[in-house]
Amino acid sequence: MGDERRRGSFRMSGQLIKRFFNRSTRTKEDYRVFGKDLSVAVSLTCLSDAVPLPSVFRRCLYFTHKYGLEEEGVYRRSAVSTHVVRLKTAFDEKGDVRLDSYFSCEDDEVESSAVHTSASLLKQYLRELPEGPFTDKHIDDFERVVKDNMVDSSLQVDAMRLLLADMPRCNYYVLGWLAHHFQALLQNASKNLMTKSGLYIVFAPGLRVSQDLFVFVVDHVEALFADVRLHDCKQRLSVRHKRHSKGRRSMDGHALRKSSRPSFDLTNNDNNKEEEEE
């Protein structure tokens, strides 16, 4: 009788240990978004305001936008590799990292190394995407639009907007955030020394587009992404989002119809109290 109880106790202990390690491993795996489809990354790490962007992309871009617009060679200079690895690991394990706290920013001041670490991780994330944000399905159509010699450039803009409206929301927002960020960098080119050609060289491996398409999007950012603005999110991943991430994948990757794309203006959300960057 005693032997049976002991064997039953051992079996129960083994099951509990197995459950613990399986749960621990699964939790860490759930947040590893590098190299995964964009829609999957959004479903796993989208922040609580539901803007369809992966946390690592959004946090790194916004941090670089906030502190690095005047940083000389902001995307050309390499960061310390160990710093980049450490930051990537933090995102892998936690799903979200508030970079102002991570880098101990005080009074809107930040060390140059923090900006380059954030910028380097953003470039790495884009390079490791399985497909470019313009998507394999649409990239040829985008390239065709910019190569057509239309008399009126507004016709090209209209054609481009139709293609953007047919894309998944997450791809649309990634492109919109990048385009607005590039525009702001170019407006501060006298200080950061980043030119259009320089930005293209840096981001071409991640975007996987021609220079003509890159320049066209940057030059027409307001017409193409009028409903997109860069803003912070004070809240982390929501509990509801983490528990139901699998059920959100199709929503985050859903392609909005041309006639029904809403304007996602989240800058006046009282709950999040977000800071908008024009």
Side-chain angles (χ1 to χ4, degrees):
M1 189 73 176
D3 291 341
E4 290 181 0
R5 287 183 177 178
R6 280 194 293 272
R7 283 195 294 271
S9 176
F10 288 143
R11 281 196 298 270
M12 182 62 70
S13 299
Q15 291 173 358
L16 290 174
I17 292 173
K18 186 176 180 180
R19 287 181 185 176
F20 173 80
F21 281 107
N22 284 344
R23 182 174 60 189
S24 176
T25 302
R26 184 170 62 251
T27 299
K28 291 183 179 180
E29 287 287 348
D30 281 349
Y31 293 131
R32 294 176 184 174
V33 299
F34 280 73
K36 293 185 178 179
D37 288 340
L38 186 57
S39 61
V40 174
V42 170
S43 72
L44 295 176
T45 64
C46 177
L47 300 182
S48 59
D49 62 3
V51 174
L53 292 170
S55 172
V56 62
F57 171 87
R58 183 174 180 180
R59 295 297 194 195
C60 289
L61 189 149
Y62 186 80
F63 185 86
T64 308
H65 189 85
K66 182 178 180 180
Y67 295 108
L69 292 182
E70 298 182 358
E71 181 72 24
E72 184 175 338
V74 56
Y75 282 109
R76 286 201 313 271
R77 294 185 179 179
S78 299
V80 178
S81 59
T82 55
H83 293 177
V84 179
V85 171
R86 191 179 301 124
L87 180 57
K88 178 181 179 295
T89 300
F91 276 103
D92 284 344
E93 294 180 350
K94 300 176 182 178
D96 180 41
V97 180
R98 290 296 307 278
L99 296 186
D100 282 75
S101 300
Y102 180 88
F103 290 116
S104 302
C105 302
E106 296 181 1
D107 300 324
D108 286 335
E109 294 184 1
V110 62
E111 293 184 4
S112 177
S113 60
V115 172
H116 291 289
T117 299
S118 174
S120 293
L121 190 59
L122 174 63
K123 291 186 295 182
Q124 180 180 339
Y125 175 75
L126 291 172
R127 286 196 306 268
E128 294 186 14
L129 284 173
E131 66 173 358
F134 282 92
T135 75
D136 295 340
K137 175 183 177 181
H138 294 90
I139 184 60
D140 290 340
D141 293 328
F142 279 109
E143 295 287 4
R144 194 174 297 112
V145 168
V146 296
K147 289 177 181 178
D148 286 343
N149 295 320
M150 299 183 182
V151 177
D152 188 352
S153 63
S154 64
L155 296 177
Q156 287 178 298
V157 171
D158 290 341
M160 193 77 69
R161 291 178 67 181
L162 288 175
L163 290 172
L164 289 170
D166 196 44
M167 299 182 75
R169 287 179 61 209
C170 49
N171 294 73
Y172 176 82
Y173 270 85
V174 163
L175 292 172
W177 273 55
L178 284 170
H180 280 286
H181 181 51
F182 294 155
Q183 184 188 59
L185 286 167
L186 293 172
Q187 289 172 349
N188 290 272
S190 61
K191 295 182 179 179
N192 60 47
L193 304 183
M194 297 297 299
T195 62
K196 284 181 186 177
S197 60
L199 282 172
Y200 173 73
I201 291 171
V202 168
F203 283 93
L207 295 178
R208 300 159 220 185
V209 297
S210 68
Q211 188 166 357
D212 288 340
L213 178 54
F214 177 86
V215 170
F216 184 91
V217 170
V218 173
D219 286 346
H220 299 87
V221 57
E222 292 297 339
L224 297 174
F225 302 102
D227 59 342
V228 175
R229 287 293 181 271
L230 277 61
H231 56 275
D232 199 5
C233 179
K234 301 299 183 182
Q235 301 176 17
R236 294 175 178 267
L237 304 174
S238 67
V239 175
R240 178 177 179 274
H241 172 80
K242 289 188 285 187
R243 287 179 179 175
H244 301 283
S245 61
K246 290 185 178 180
R248 294 169 59 90
R249 291 183 185 178
S250 60
M251 180 191 73
D252 290 326
H254 179 64
L256 296 179
R257 292 291 170 251
K258 302 176 184 61
S259 61
S260 62
R261 181 180 294 282
S263 176
F264 294 92
D265 185 2
L266 301 174
T267 58
N268 295 321
N269 189 323
D270 293 332
N271 293 326
N272 293 325
K273 296 181 180 178
E274 296 151 344
E275 298 174 357
E276 180 175 320
E277 285 289 328
E278 293 295 336

